[in-house]
Each structure stands twice: as structure tokens, then as C-alpha cells.
């Protein structure tokens, strides 16, 4: 079972460069999301999607774009990388709230460690 | 603003000790509280708590939720070195779309 797959595992960018972090899940989950994890800050929500064609902003969306053209894929784009975007990025997915009123646990990918110099 | 606060931020104990990790939350339209364990990579799911006073248990780990006082605790008894990890709690907020708000995490170190 692949679960949630993130690529690449590591990336180094120069300031101003653009790139896309890939995320794919094979569990037919409606809900997908991106988090960044910084020391002492926990996990902060960047963007999320409740289904194909629907995306919304989380807590820290500036500098990031997302799209959801299929149920399986949810790429995160950095348009012009900045050193403040150095972080570990996690993609996570779950069944949607329509499956039940109390939420369902997120399944996480293994993360992408991004360094912007 | 939704907020989840964990304490302590860091804890070092000896193998065999019992530990209690705390999580307080202020989350709009609260639905549930989740606990995760994070070792080197992705967080792995431990518990989902939705009702006050009902203990969830898995081996040496247990957790309980108090929806009146807005907190949860995670207990680990007879700790082992393999329990060393960052423990994260998250509140599930909102109607319609699932939105998790995470705490900062508690880094637990178990010394042999």
C-alpha cells in the first residue's frame, strides 16, 4: 500500500527559483492538505482541498499555490522561493467530513525537506 | 483564532517511568482531538477523541478528553526507549471542511 507519496524527499533552491512539490495518494481520499513544520512551531496548514476542483487557504498560504485537478494529486507550487520557506513540508489526506461528523485521521506522507539559500 | 497548546515542550525521563502529556485547545466548532507520534519522518496516528470522559487505550498508551475544560492528556506507562518521539495533538475545527490545528508538540526522550 503506497498511501501518501511525496516527491522529492530533499530539495535545495536559490532565492527566486520556482518549483513544485508533488503529492499523490491512492486511498481515494477526498481531503488533501499541505503543512509546513518548523522548529518550535508545530505543523501549520498552508492549503487544503476537499475534493477535485476545490481548494482553500490555510493558516500560512502566502507564497504558495495549489491546484486539485484529480482526486489523487495535490501539488504545491512555490512561485518565487524565499529563505523563509526553508522548512519540512508534509502532505496529508483523509476521508472528508461527509463520511462522518467527527472527522477522520490524517494520513501523512514522509515529507520534503526544502532549503532555500 | 484557533489555538492548540501542548505542555511540556520537552520531557526527559528514565525507562520505566510514567509520563503525562498535556494538550489544551480553543478551536472553533470543535469536532475531535487527535494525537500523533512523530519519530524521524511522518506523524503516525495514535488516537481520535470525540467524547468527554471516555478513555482510549492502546497498549501502554491511553488518552482522555475533557470538553468542558478544553483539554486532553496522553499517558504512557512503563516507558521504553522506543517511545522517544515528538507527540503532537491537533484539534479538528469547522463545519464542512476538515481543518486541523496542531500544537507545537512535546519532545519526549526516554533514557535507558
Amino acid at each position: 500500500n503506497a498511501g501518501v507519496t511525496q516527491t522529492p524527499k530533499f530539495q535545495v533552491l536559490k532565492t527566486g527559483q520556482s518549483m513544485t512539490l508533488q503529492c499523490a495518494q491512492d486511498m481515494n481520499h477526498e481531503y488533501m492538505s499541505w503543512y509546513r513544520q518548523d522548529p518550535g512551531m508545530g505543523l501549520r496548514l498552508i492549503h487544503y482541498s476537499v475534493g477535485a476542483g476545490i481548494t482553500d487557504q490555510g493558516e500560512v498560504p502566502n507564497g504558495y499555490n495549489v491546484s486539485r485537478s484529480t482526486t489523487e494529486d495535490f501539488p504545491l507550487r512555490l512561485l518565487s522561493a524565499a529563505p523563509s520557506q526553508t522548512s519540512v513540508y508534509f502532505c496529508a489526506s483523509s476521508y472528508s467530513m461527509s463520511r462522518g461528523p467527527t472527522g477522520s485521521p490524517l494520513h501523512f506522507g514522509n515529507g520534503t525537506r526544502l532549503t532555500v539559500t | 483564532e484557533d489555538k492548540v497548546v501542548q505542555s511540556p515542550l520537552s520531557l526527559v525521563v528514565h525507562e520505566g517511568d510514567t509520563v503525562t502529556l498535556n494538550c489544551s485547545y480553543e478551536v472553533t466548532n470543535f469536532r475531535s482531538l487527535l494525537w500523533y507520534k512523530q519519530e524521524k519522518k511522518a506523524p503516525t496516528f495514535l488516537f481520535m477523541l470525540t467524547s468527554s470522559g471516555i478513555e482510549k487505550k492502546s497498549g501502554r498508551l491511553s488518552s482522555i478528553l475533557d470538553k468542558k475544560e478544553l483539554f486532553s492528556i496522553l499517558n504512557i506507562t512503563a516507558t521504553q526507549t522506543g517511545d522517544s518521539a515528538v507527540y503532537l495533538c491537533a484539534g479538528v475545527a469547522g463545519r464542512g471542511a476538515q481543518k486541523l490545528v496542531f500544537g507545537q508538540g512535546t519532545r519526549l526522550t526516554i533514557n535507558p
Side-chain angles (χ1 to χ4, degrees):
Chain A
N1 290 337
V4 179
T5 303
Q6 286 185 241
T7 56
K9 292 181 182 176
F10 302 95
Q11 183 71 50
V12 179
L13 290 177
K14 292 189 190 311
T15 297
Q17 285 185 316
S18 63
M19 80 157 296
T20 300
L21 308 186
Q22 302 291 346
C23 175
Q25 53 88 13
D26 62 357
M27 297 172 281
N28 204 28
H29 284 167
E30 297 96 335
Y31 181 89
M32 296 186 74
S33 54
W34 278 101
Y35 289 85
R36 59 177 290 174
Q37 187 172 37
D38 303 295
M41 305 285 286
L43 285 155
R44 292 184 292 170
L45 181 64
I46 304 171
H47 285 285
Y48 65 98
S49 168
V50 299
I54 306 168
T55 64
D56 207 345
Q57 296 181 348
E59 184 185 351
V60 288
N62 293 341
Y64 308 95
N65 277 356
V66 292
S67 60
R68 184 95 180 269
S69 55
T70 67
T71 301
E72 295 78 20
D73 300 298
F74 191 45
L76 179 73
R77 278 182 283 278
L78 283 71
L79 299 176
S80 178
S84 61
Q85 293 178 304
T86 294
S87 188
V88 179
Y89 290 85
F90 286 100
C91 178
S93 70
S94 73
Y95 293 113
S96 77
M97 296 296 279
S98 64
R99 298 270 185 142
T102 52
S104 65
L106 284 177
H107 298 261
F108 284 85
N110 281 331
T112 294
R113 185 175 291 276
L114 176 68
T115 302
V116 183
T117 61
Chain B
E1 183 184 334
D2 296 328
K3 191 168 61 173
V4 174
V5 177
Q6 293 184 245
S7 64
L9 295 181
S10 180
L11 185 58
V12 181
V13 300
H14 290 292
E15 203 167 20
D17 288 350
T18 292
V19 298
T20 298
L21 309 184
N22 303 297
C23 175
S24 65
Y25 64 91
E26 293 176 31
V27 168
T28 311
N29 296 314
F30 174 81
R31 292 183 170 268
S32 58
L33 190 126
L34 308 178
W35 282 97
Y36 286 86
K37 177 182 181 182
Q38 186 178 24
E39 296 176 87
K40 295 204 184 300
K41 290 186 177 177
T44 53
F45 172 72
L46 294 175
F47 298 112
M48 174 188 285
L49 303 160
T50 56
S51 301
S52 270
I54 298 175
E55 186 183 51
K56 291 275 182 104
K57 207 167 164 64
S58 176
R60 297 174 294 102
L61 276 67
S62 64
S63 184
I64 199 161
L65 177 68
D66 186 327
K67 290 170 79 173
K68 185 180 172 188
E69 301 296 331
L70 306 183
F71 78 88
S72 175
I73 60 171
L74 175 69
N75 277 324
I76 310 176
T77 59
T79 52
Q80 302 171 357
T81 55
D83 295 326
S84 295
V86 174
Y87 290 83
L88 299 164
C89 77
V92 180
R95 294 195 187 93
Q98 176 172 307
K99 186 176 171 183
L100 265 67
V101 181
F102 279 87
Q104 322 94 300
T106 294
R107 181 173 295 279
L108 177 64
T109 303
I110 312 296
N111 287 329

